[in-house]
Amino acid sequence: MNAIVGVIIVIVLIAIICYVTGSKRTEEAQLYEECQNELVGIGGFFGGQRIPVNGEIVIGRDSERCSLVYPADTQGVSSVHCKVTLDKSGIGVMDMKSTCGTYRVNGDRIKPGEIQYLKVGDGFYIGEKKNTFLLR
């Protein structure tokens, strides 16, 4: 009788552990899934704003060619500065031959025409560090 009670207790404990760890993984996966497709403006004109990345975002000052538009007098930002894309490889940023450049937050310049893929927590800035975006 004691052996049966012991086995039942072990089975219940295993079920509880599986349920708790399974739901935790699901919550973490959902958070990762929700967060990985969003840019957050850290400073500058778009500071504090969240921008969903669902395909392609062209960033610059030209309202006809860009989907994320800086004011016309913003120094360091070209008419068509860079673009952020979501494709099968992830989310990447590509400089569009801007005058002042697009940089990773560590200061490395992104070569014009070359896509640099970002991980959650990575960031980039355009022209000046105040125009920083982070991928969440």
Side-chain angles (χ1 to χ4, degrees):
M1 184 70 168
N2 286 339
I4 294 173
V5 171
V7 169
I8 291 172
I9 290 173
V10 168
I11 290 171
V12 169
L13 287 174
I14 290 172
I16 290 171
I17 291 169
C18 288
Y19 175 77
V20 169
T21 58
S23 65
K24 185 176 182 181
R25 268 190 248 125
T26 302
E27 289 172 16
E28 288 172 356
Q30 285 176 337
L31 283 173
Y32 182 77
E33 193 173 281
E34 290 171 7
C35 292
Q36 69 179 349
N37 296 332
E38 178 180 73
L39 291 178
V40 178
I42 300 303
F45 186 73
F46 291 100
Q49 294 188 37
R50 295 172 180 235
I51 302 110
V53 181
N54 298 319
E56 180 178 276
I57 299 172
V58 179
I59 304 172
R61 293 182 289 114
D62 187 328
S63 61
E64 292 184 16
R65 297 186 289 167
C66 299
S67 49
L68 194 60
V69 182
Y70 276 85
D73 62 348
T74 306
Q75 292 185 349
V77 178
S78 294
S79 296
V80 178
H81 198 101
C82 67
K83 71 178 175 179
V84 177
T85 57
L86 171 64
D87 62 26
K88 63 182 179 181
S89 298
I91 294 178
V93 61
M94 179 170 50
D95 184 84
M96 302 296 289
K97 299 181 181 177
S98 66
T99 303
C100 294
T102 304
Y103 300 84
R104 288 189 168 269
V105 290
N106 68 2
D108 290 345
R109 189 170 188 161
I110 296 172
K111 294 178 185 174
E114 182 180 297
I115 193 161
Q116 294 273 321
Y117 286 97
L118 305 171
K119 297 177 191 167
V120 173
D122 283 349
F124 66 95
Y125 63 91
I126 60 175
E128 300 174 358
K129 285 189 177 185
K130 69 179 180 181
N131 298 315
T132 297
F133 296 91
L134 290 181
L135 179 63
R136 289 193 34 162

